[in-house]
Amino acid sequence: MKRNATITVDAGRKSEHTINPYVFGHFVEDIRDHMEAMLAYPLKDMDFESEASSPEPRAVSGRWTPYTNGRGTVYAMEPPAPKHSGRAQRVRMMSDDEAYAGISQKVALKGPSEYAVKLVARASVEIRYLVVEAADRRTGDVIGVARIELAGHDWKSYEATLAVARECVDAELRVYVPAEHPRWIDHVSTGMFWLDHVSLLPADSIGMVRKEVMDMTRPLNAGMMRLAGNYISAYHWEYGVGPVLERPILYNEAWGGWANKYFGTDEFIAFCQELGVEPLICVNDGSGTPEEAARWIEYCNGGPDTPMGAKRAANGHPEPYRVRYWEIGNEVWGQWQVGTCTAEEFAERCAAFAKAMKAADPEIVLLACGHTDQEWNKPLLERAGGAIDYLTLHLYHGFNRFGMNRETPAEERYRAIVSFPEWTRSDLARTEETIQAYPQSRHVKVAITEYNTMFYPNTIRKGLPDEHTLGAAVANAGNLNEMLRRSDLVRIGSFSDLVNGWLGGCIRVGDFYADQFRGKEAGWSGRPLTVYGTPTYEVMKLYAGRDIRRMLPAQAECGTFSVASAKPAPADLNALPDLDVAACANEDGSLVTVFVVNRSLEKVTAKLDLKAFEAGEDVRVHEIAGDSIEAINSVFEPERIVCTERIVPASAWREGVALRPASVYALEIRASRN
């Protein structure tokens, strides 16, 4: 069946409100492999915090393995160096073995490249040096060597440069005393060395972040970066500042495993400054206190003459960070949160936090944990509405709300997932009504601090990663259109997540996409160093990269489709428009941008009727499309779905231009020079 459409945009009626660039924000969280993927360190278990992988005489910290040919080499775990966290790895060699002995770890290394090596070590006095060596596990070739001269029996930090000759995705990093080292008298005080910390950092890393991740994050033009998530409800920020090796190693109560101590407040702020984006920090209201939150604000914003500002200055940052945006609570209504409570309890808690936080810095902007369930929002707005500036929503759109599962035909699942904007529209309308019901909260705006498609089931995924498909990108583009249409109310957005993580960040590192929680081992593809964007990454980059400032009225006369839902829905799903359209103008009105999402599974021929605008001859067309709604980018095909550009004459749009099935477009029309 031939499908036609007419898109009408009135360029003469610009919105009074402006579009906040923070609506295109992103989100980082210490969740599963998010930090491992984002940070540049190739080694894991750098502070020997994991359980021993084997009993004596091979007691070696979890991610490490023994590296020795000695029959009498003995390994043990001991307390770390003074003030340091984790543990120390002890290696003892018997002189009569005349062996090499140390530890090793499987690792993927870039190359040719230089790595900064850092060790914290001590040794019995006759051990004069250690070798740090990288070798290809498949061929045995040594591809990099550094020698570290030891300077005494006590704990000391050592640094060196390891030049890696070539890329090796299946390498082994070894730290050891070689067999050619002079031997020693074999009694209790000889033949031992201890390692408290071992790390590699590539020379091209930016701070502690992978250069490749930074290179892909910059074009996202995020506007704002959020530090938050489930883990924050048990996160005590003071453990994440100061000398890194002295920071304690804590269990990640939300997601299991060890919390990442290398990416604390100072590192997050440096990350935001490097990107030129506004930081948004969520405070711990679960196991934390208002006083703790106030200290965090003072650490970030206080002068060096304040107690926490002095602490920041002592950590090497004398100038205040001036973090304006602060969030109270993350999904406090969820049973998975530390400190979950009733709506009434949170309203009282929020008021107490807001009072203490505003006292620390009256200029901050406060966000409070809201919900799509208005029974949660009502007591919060009634009791604390006058103290907050934003109410937050988390919008995840998936099969479960339709009564669908993986047995449902793929095309039915697709139609359901691309109805995302209709659900968002309903959630925003109901939330706005609640906000306006209380005089003290009528100034409050909405921050959608997490959103994504969330296919069901979402915790144990085998095979196709639905969150990364072209269909998911079409759904997220439609949702962005709705956020733009309501940009008078929605001033902040945070896509979930930035890198790897739970649902699957829009930037992907390696092959964790299969199932990073209970699936294949990292690196199974043989391409663990590949960094690429999902189709939704292309959508986020497309939208945030346009020169848009004010909304324009837009409508589409087009065909419709239906969603066969087994559950009640907040909107009529029987006649949803094929095209989802949002139109914008730049500040001076010389550029009109029309975002068009073809949600149909058919080609649609669309005409464009642009009113009150003298258009130039050409239209720049940005297109995201593919040959299948289930198409994904992967380490094997990292650019299967990318955004392409072409010029189409404006006259062609007056006659009708074909839009591909399941596709996303941005049409940029400049005013005629005449």
Side-chain angles (χ1 to χ4, degrees), residues 465-628:
D466 297 295
E467 290 83 13
H468 305 158
T469 63
L470 174 61
V474 172
N476 280 314
N479 187 58
L480 279 175
N481 278 356
E482 187 60 31
M483 291 166 64
L484 284 172
R485 284 189 289 264
R486 290 311 320 270
S487 53
D488 59 324
L489 177 68
V490 179
R491 309 295 289 162
I492 292 173
S494 304
F495 179 78
S496 175
D497 296 324
L498 179 65
V499 186
N500 288 26
W502 179 40
L503 294 174
C506 64
I507 298 172
R508 306 299 299 163
V509 176
D511 46 17
F512 293 89
Y513 70 83
D515 181 353
Q516 75 275 15
F517 187 39
R518 293 189 177 93
K520 295 173 180 174
E521 179 186 0
W524 65 268
S525 69
R527 294 173 170 84
L529 296 175
T530 301
V531 181
Y532 63 96
T534 67
T536 295
Y537 169 86
E538 297 293 323
V539 167
M540 298 299 297
K541 183 172 66 171
L542 172 65
Y543 275 67
R546 311 279 63 79
D547 182 9
I548 58 176
R549 185 64 172 167
R550 297 184 186 272
M551 295 303 298
L552 300 174
Q555 62 180 16
E557 296 178 13
C558 58
T560 62
F561 66 97
S562 298
V563 179
S565 178
K567 294 182 178 181
D572 183 1
L573 300 180
N574 291 317
L576 302 182
D578 288 343
L579 301 186
D580 188 298
V581 179
C584 316
N586 64 350
E587 186 58 53
D588 65 8
S590 64
L591 175 68
V592 170
T593 300
V594 185
F595 296 107
V596 183
V597 180
N598 180 13
R599 302 189 291 182
S600 170
L601 287 165
E602 307 294 334
K603 180 177 72 175
V604 174
T605 300
K607 297 180 181 180
L608 178 62
D609 182 7
L610 188 55
K611 298 182 180 301
F613 189 78
E614 187 72 28
E617 295 182 357
D618 295 327
V619 176
R620 182 173 297 276
V621 178
H622 305 262
E623 179 187 70
I624 300 170
D627 55 6
S628 166

Side-chain angles (χ1 to χ4, degrees), residues 193-514:
F193 73 93
W194 292 258
L195 296 169
D196 173 80
H197 170 87
V198 179
S199 64
L200 298 179
L201 193 62
D204 65 357
S205 65
I206 301 173
M208 296 182 180
V209 179
R210 293 178 192 259
K211 178 183 182 297
E212 297 81 0
V213 168
M214 292 296 294
D215 288 346
M216 293 202 69
T217 303
R218 293 185 203 280
L220 287 173
N221 294 302
M224 175 173 278
M225 192 68 66
R226 176 177 182 251
L227 181 70
N230 289 1
Y231 88 103
I232 213 77
S233 65
Y235 178 74
H236 298 289
W237 70 270
E238 285 163 294
Y239 293 144
V241 298
V244 171
L245 298 186
E246 296 181 17
R247 299 177 188 176
I249 291 172
L250 302 174
Y251 189 74
N252 187 331
E253 296 178 41
W255 298 107
W258 299 111
N260 190 294
K261 72 178 188 178
Y262 288 86
F263 196 77
T265 302
D266 299 309
E267 290 77 23
F268 172 66
I269 297 299
F271 179 59
C272 292
Q273 290 174 340
E274 180 68 31
L275 293 169
V277 302
E278 188 80 20
L280 164 61
I281 296 177
C282 184
V283 300
N284 173 6
D285 80 310
S287 63
T289 65
E291 294 74 20
E292 180 183 29
R295 290 197 302 274
W296 200 352
I297 291 172
E298 185 177 280
Y299 181 86
C300 289
N301 298 349
D305 56 340
T306 63
M308 292 298 103
K311 186 173 184 178
R312 182 196 64 244
N315 290 333
H317 309 281
E319 292 299 316
Y321 292 141
R322 297 182 177 86
V323 178
R324 293 189 63 221
Y325 291 83
W326 295 84
E327 184 177 359
I328 303 171
N330 178 86
E331 298 180 2
V332 187
W333 32 262
Q335 294 300 317
W336 49 90
Q337 293 295 321
V338 173
T340 185
C341 62
T342 66
E344 290 73 17
E345 289 170 334
F346 180 69
E348 297 296 333
R349 184 189 299 177
C350 183
F353 269 76
K355 181 179 179 180
M357 294 167 73
K358 287 277 191 177
D361 184 350
E363 301 300 317
I364 62 173
V365 177
L366 278 181
L367 292 73
C369 172
H371 199 349
T372 54
D373 181 355
Q374 301 309 311
E375 295 307 309
W376 173 272
N377 296 333
K378 289 174 182 177
L380 172 61
L381 294 171
E382 181 179 14
R383 301 178 195 181
I388 64 173
D389 303 287
Y390 283 85
L391 188 68
T392 70
L393 296 179
H394 289 182
L395 304 181
Y396 290 106
H397 186 64
F399 296 153
N400 54 330
R401 60 177 32 161
F402 301 93
M404 297 180 177
N405 56 36
R406 294 192 185 282
E407 303 306 314
T408 306
E411 291 189 358
E412 288 299 318
R413 286 184 280 133
Y414 168 79
R415 293 187 183 96
I417 213 69
V418 296
S419 70
F420 200 170
E422 279 72 20
W423 294 77
T424 297
R425 186 175 309 130
S426 174
D427 287 330
L428 289 174
R430 290 184 294 110
T431 302
E432 184 178 33
E433 182 180 355
T434 305
I435 289 171
Q436 293 301 314
Y438 301 94
Q440 65 271 28
S441 66
R442 288 174 185 163
H443 66 286
V444 170
K445 299 297 185 182
V446 170
I448 302 176
T449 50
E450 291 184 29
Y451 67 94
N452 200 343
T453 51
M454 187 173 74
F455 294 70
Y456 185 84
N458 61 70
T459 53
I460 304 176
R461 301 184 302 282
K462 304 294 181 184
L464 183 67
D466 297 295
E467 290 83 13
H468 305 158
T469 63
L470 174 61
V474 172
N476 280 314
N479 187 58
L480 279 175
N481 278 356
E482 187 60 31
M483 291 166 64
L484 284 172
R485 284 189 289 264
R486 290 311 320 270
S487 53
D488 59 324
L489 177 68
V490 179
R491 309 295 289 162
I492 292 173
S494 304
F495 179 78
S496 175
D497 296 324
L498 179 65
V499 186
N500 288 26
W502 179 40
L503 294 174
C506 64
I507 298 172
R508 306 299 299 163
V509 176
D511 46 17
F512 293 89
Y513 70 83

Side-chain angles (χ1 to χ4, degrees), residues 32-61:
R32 296 181 183 159
D33 65 325
H34 189 300
M35 291 300 174
E36 285 190 2
M38 186 173 83
L39 300 187
Y41 294 106
L43 290 170
K44 315 306 176 191
D45 200 7
M46 296 183 290
D47 300 294
F48 306 99
E49 64 269 22
S50 301
E51 295 300 317
S53 57
S54 55
E56 283 279 24
R58 293 285 190 252
V60 179
S61 186

